[in-house]
Amino acid sequence: MAVRPSWEVRESEGATRWFEFRMAFADGARVDALAVVGGGCVCVEEVRAQPALSLDDLAVLADWIEESVAEACATGPGPDGGGSEGRRARPAWPRGAEGRLLVAREYRAAQRDGADPVLAVMGATGHGRRTSLRLIGQARDAGLLSPRRARR
């Protein structure tokens, strides 16, 4: 995915920033999107996809955009020289095997305590429900959590 800052509008003490996204796939499919960051949130303003995206695909795209914007805001210079404007406060969470292990620990601890394990992972990682479910699935795939029980 290519992320490119488009423009920025400075307001009294803050700024609103727009980012363009482009994803091109080997099979010729393409997704272009425009997202705006301001007031501590990320909003997707426009999405153009060829072929069209399903609602589930749009949800996954929104997660990718949120994470990419957070990284771009953290690494790119902002109007004050810092790059964290517009980024949600989120605890530091390791990626890869260490992150999957921590997700599994949070999940099992919540189960032992009789709490909702997905909410526990959401609280620990600072991610939303979809991303937390994806992290839980990765921990399952790695053999750190038991397989899901079939619903009846």
Side-chain angles (χ1 to χ4, degrees), residues 52-105:
L53 298 174
S54 69
L55 291 177
D56 289 336
D57 292 337
L58 280 172
V60 171
L61 177 68
D63 286 341
W64 284 344
I65 286 174
E66 181 183 21
E67 291 171 7
S68 298
V69 166
E71 289 173 12
C73 288
T75 59
D80 60 353
S84 62
E85 188 164 329
R87 184 176 179 162
R88 284 192 313 185
R90 213 180 251 168
W93 196 262
R95 295 180 183 251
E98 184 181 356
R100 288 188 294 273
L101 183 61
L102 292 174
V103 164
R105 284 183 187 160

Side-chain angles (χ1 to χ4, degrees), residues 86-141:
R87 184 176 179 162
R88 284 192 313 185
R90 213 180 251 168
W93 196 262
R95 295 180 183 251
E98 184 181 356
R100 288 188 294 273
L101 183 61
L102 292 174
V103 164
R105 284 183 187 160
E106 289 291 332
Y107 189 95
R108 286 192 303 267
Q111 280 183 321
R112 275 192 307 274
D113 297 341
D116 183 336
V118 176
L119 289 177
V121 171
M122 288 170 62
T125 63
H127 288 292
R129 185 170 189 81
R130 289 186 194 281
T131 302
S132 295
L133 287 170
R134 184 171 38 96
L135 293 171
I136 291 166
Q138 290 171 354
R140 281 191 205 292
D141 292 345

Side-chain angles (χ1 to χ4, degrees), residues 29-42:
R30 190 179 85 221
V31 178
D32 294 307
L34 179 67
V36 62
V37 178
C41 36
V42 177

